[in-house]
Amino acid sequence: MIDILSYGLIIIGVIFWFWGTFPLLGNRSVLFKLHSLSVADTLGSMSIIVGLLLKIPEEWPLLLLAIITLAIWNTVLGYVLAYCSSSGEEND
Protein backbone atom coordinates (compact mmCIF):
# COMPACT_ATOMS: atom_id res chain seq x y z
CA MET A 1 0.00 0.00 0.00
CA ILE A 2 2.87 2.36 0.82
CA ASP A 3 4.44 1.69 -2.58
CA ILE A 4 1.21 2.59 -4.38
CA LEU A 5 0.88 5.81 -2.38
CA SER A 6 4.54 6.65 -2.96
CA TYR A 7 4.36 6.11 -6.71
CA GLY A 8 1.08 8.02 -6.83
CA LEU A 9 2.67 11.05 -5.16
CA ILE A 10 5.65 10.91 -7.52
CA ILE A 11 3.34 10.75 -10.55
CA ILE A 12 1.28 13.67 -9.19
CA GLY A 13 4.51 15.63 -8.77
CA VAL A 14 5.53 15.03 -12.36
CA ILE A 15 2.03 16.05 -13.51
CA PHE A 16 2.39 19.31 -11.56
CA TRP A 17 5.74 19.94 -13.25
CA PHE A 18 4.22 19.57 -16.72
CA TRP A 19 1.07 21.47 -15.72
CA GLY A 20 3.21 24.44 -14.66
CA THR A 21 4.78 24.73 -18.09
CA PHE A 22 1.48 25.27 -19.93
CA PRO A 23 1.02 28.92 -18.78
CA LEU A 24 4.39 29.71 -20.41
CA LEU A 25 2.67 29.34 -23.78
CA GLY A 26 -0.07 31.87 -23.02
CA ASN A 27 -0.30 35.60 -23.68
CA ARG A 28 -0.15 36.69 -20.03
CA SER A 29 2.57 38.81 -18.42
CA VAL A 30 5.98 37.39 -17.65
CA LEU A 31 5.38 37.68 -13.89
CA PHE A 32 2.13 35.69 -14.13
CA LYS A 33 3.97 33.01 -16.08
CA LEU A 34 6.80 32.88 -13.54
CA HIS A 35 4.33 32.72 -10.66
CA SER A 36 2.39 29.85 -12.22
CA LEU A 37 5.58 27.99 -13.02
CA SER A 38 7.07 28.43 -9.54
CA VAL A 39 3.88 27.38 -7.71
CA ALA A 40 3.44 24.26 -9.84
CA ASP A 41 7.14 23.44 -9.57
CA THR A 42 7.09 23.81 -5.79
CA LEU A 43 4.00 21.64 -5.37
CA GLY A 44 5.36 19.04 -7.77
CA SER A 45 8.76 18.91 -6.12
CA MET A 46 7.25 18.66 -2.64
CA SER A 47 4.96 15.86 -3.79
CA ILE A 48 7.90 13.96 -5.24
CA ILE A 49 9.92 14.43 -2.04
CA VAL A 50 7.03 13.17 0.11
CA GLY A 51 6.74 10.17 -2.23
CA LEU A 52 10.45 9.51 -1.73
CA LEU A 53 10.00 9.93 2.01
CA LEU A 54 7.48 7.09 1.95
CA LYS A 55 9.85 4.91 -0.10
CA ILE A 56 13.00 5.57 1.97
CA PRO A 57 11.91 6.64 5.47
CA GLU A 58 15.43 6.22 6.87
CA GLU A 59 16.44 9.38 4.97
CA TRP A 60 13.74 11.55 6.60
CA PRO A 61 16.09 14.26 7.97
CA LEU A 62 17.55 14.95 4.54
CA LEU A 63 14.19 14.86 2.77
CA LEU A 64 12.56 17.08 5.41
CA LEU A 65 15.41 19.56 4.98
CA ALA A 66 14.79 19.47 1.22
CA ILE A 67 11.08 20.27 1.69
CA ILE A 68 11.78 23.15 4.09
CA THR A 69 14.51 24.58 1.86
CA LEU A 70 12.31 24.32 -1.20
CA ALA A 71 9.44 26.13 0.50
CA ILE A 72 11.66 28.94 1.83
CA TRP A 73 13.62 29.40 -1.40
CA ASN A 74 10.54 29.67 -3.61
CA THR A 75 8.84 32.07 -1.18
CA VAL A 76 11.88 34.36 -1.08
CA LEU A 77 12.22 34.16 -4.87
CA GLY A 78 8.58 35.24 -5.23
CA TYR A 79 9.19 38.27 -3.01
CA VAL A 80 12.34 39.20 -4.95
CA LEU A 81 10.46 39.00 -8.26
CA ALA A 82 7.63 41.11 -6.88
CA TYR A 83 10.09 43.71 -5.53
CA CYS A 84 12.00 43.88 -8.81
CA SER A 85 8.85 44.30 -10.86
CA SER A 86 7.41 46.98 -8.58
CA SER A 87 10.66 48.96 -8.32
CA GLY A 88 10.86 49.15 -12.12
CA GLU A 89 7.43 50.81 -12.25
CA GLU A 90 8.38 53.44 -9.65
CA ASN A 91 11.36 54.64 -11.69
CA ASP A 92 9.24 55.52 -14.75
Side-chain angles (χ1 to χ4, degrees):
M1 183 64 180
I2 296 294
D3 283 340
I4 294 170
L5 185 61
S6 174
Y7 288 130
L9 285 169
I10 292 171
I11 289 170
I12 288 171
V14 172
I15 289 170
F16 269 119
W17 277 356
F18 285 115
W19 183 45
T21 59
F22 290 128
L24 295 176
L25 303 174
N27 293 329
R28 298 268 184 127
S29 71
V30 173
L31 293 176
F32 177 83
K33 292 177 182 181
L34 285 175
H35 173 71
S36 300
L37 181 64
S38 67
V39 168
D41 183 44
T42 302
L43 291 174
S45 297
M46 285 183 175
S47 176
I48 290 171
I49 292 172
V50 171
L52 289 174
L53 183 61
L54 293 174
K55 288 292 283 181
I56 45 174
E58 63 271 4
E59 297 292 335
W60 73 267
L62 201 63
L63 293 171
L64 185 64
L65 179 65
I67 289 174
I68 292 169
T69 305
L70 184 66
I72 291 172
W73 170 249
N74 279 343
T75 303
V76 170
L77 180 63
Y79 283 124
V80 168
L81 285 172
Y83 176 77
C84 290
S85 67
S86 65
S87 66
E89 292 173 2
E90 292 174 5
N91 292 334
D92 289 340

